[in-house]
């Protein structure tokens, strides 16, 4: 059951990304940046393709739950761990669609240098600059609770590295194009987690 849940979570999530891409393309009349731009993005996409393949395939590679290399967390294979894993997967997927709703037709995969930059600061973007990446991490963590193994941990690590690089690139681009508006947004939000405590002297 845990293996089925992990494989299904990958299929449902990335299927949802394709649905979102088709919806946005239909509305704006062009691709929402489905192709990587430049050498750096191609390397990042390679890393993400590995994560996607691992996320989907780990259930078959790992096979039966085997935590022999992670004895300190062997308790994750019990029902409590499975329930927590499923909960995180569902939370991450629901959060992703919250992000889609907040972005609307401004949703893109990566930087769109051909369209005017616009700041989205509603929904989860009010608190976090890259909530989609955060919710992906939540889902991968849920997959780890469902299938606690070295491969699951490696996927989280590779994804985090890609996310940090990509987030920094996106922020640098928006800071250049939006200037002070984005600088103020940076001051009141966190990259992947909300700032805490929030500075009461800054506008919400």
């Amino acid at each position: 059951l845990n293996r089925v849940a992990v494989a299904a979570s990958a299929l449902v999530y990335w299927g949802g990304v394709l649905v979102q891409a088709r919806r946005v393309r239909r509305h704006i009349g062009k691709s929402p940046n489905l192709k990587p731009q430049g050498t750096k993005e191609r390397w990042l996409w390679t890393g993400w393709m590995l994560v996607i393949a691992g996320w989907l395939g780990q259930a078959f590679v790992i096979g039966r739950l085997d935590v022999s290399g992670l004895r300190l967390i062997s308790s994750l294979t019990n029902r409590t761990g499975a329930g927590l894993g499923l909960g995180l997967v569902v939370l991450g997927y629901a959060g992703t669609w919250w992000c889609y709703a907040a972005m609307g037709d401004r949703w893109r995969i990566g930087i769109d240098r051909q369209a005017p930059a616009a700041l989205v600061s509603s929904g989860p973007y009010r608190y976090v600059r890259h909530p989609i990446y955060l919710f992906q991490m939540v889902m991968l963590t849920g997959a780890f609770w469902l299938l606690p193994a070295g491969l699951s941990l490696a996927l989280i690590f590779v994804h985090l590295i890609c996310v940090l690089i990509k987030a920094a690139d996106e922020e640098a681009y928006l800071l250049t194009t939006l200037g002070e508006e984005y600088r103020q947004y940076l001051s009141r939000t966190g990259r992947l987690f909300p700032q805490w405590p929030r500075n009461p002297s800054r506008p919400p």
Side-chain angles (χ1 to χ4, degrees):
L1 181 60
N2 288 21
R3 287 181 286 155
V4 169
V6 170
S9 70
L11 287 172
V12 170
Y13 182 84
W14 294 107
V17 171
L18 293 178
V19 169
Q20 172 70 356
R22 288 190 63 184
R23 186 193 69 79
V24 172
R25 178 170 184 160
R26 187 168 62 250
H27 285 189
I28 67 176
K30 65 175 185 176
S31 172
N33 274 25
L34 290 181
K35 293 182 179 180
Q37 306 294 321
T39 302
K40 190 175 184 179
E41 278 205 2
R42 282 192 285 271
W43 278 108
L44 285 174
W45 277 58
T46 299
W48 267 315
M49 291 301 106
L50 290 174
V51 171
I52 294 171
W55 187 355
L56 178 61
Q58 63 182 315
F60 307 100
V61 173
I62 295 172
R64 296 182 179 277
L65 293 181
D66 178 10
V67 295
S68 58
L70 299 168
R71 295 187 185 281
L72 291 178
I73 57 170
S74 60
S75 61
L76 299 186
T77 59
N78 62 25
R79 291 183 180 180
T80 301
L84 178 59
L86 271 176
L88 289 173
V89 166
V90 172
L91 174 64
Y93 193 64
T96 299
W97 282 97
W98 185 24
C99 296
Y100 291 166
M103 293 201 77
D105 291 342
R106 290 168 293 186
W107 177 84
R108 299 290 187 275
I109 297 180
I111 298 171
D112 185 358
R113 301 181 187 277
Q114 306 303 316
L119 178 62
V120 177
S121 58
S122 61
Y125 293 90
R126 182 179 179 183
Y127 309 100
V128 179
R129 297 192 291 275
H130 305 278
I132 288 181
Y133 297 156
L134 170 61
F135 288 124
Q136 288 173 349
M137 295 295 297
V138 169
M139 293 190 73
L140 285 171
T141 302
F144 170 72
W145 279 80
L146 288 163
L147 291 178
L151 176 58
S152 303
L153 281 177
L155 293 176
I156 294 174
F157 177 76
V158 172
H159 187 266
L160 178 60
I161 295 300
C162 291
V163 158
L164 292 176
I165 295 172
K166 187 62 175 170
D169 285 350
E170 292 174 357
E171 289 171 11
Y173 170 73
L174 290 173
L175 189 59
T176 300
T177 55
L178 296 179
E180 184 61 26
E181 179 186 14
Y182 195 71
R183 187 173 289 106
Q184 292 184 12
Y185 179 67
L186 286 173
S187 71
R188 63 178 187 265
T189 55
R191 175 170 285 175
L192 292 177
F193 300 97
Q195 287 187 3
W196 187 264
R198 291 172 63 84
N199 190 334
S201 67
R202 290 180 179 139

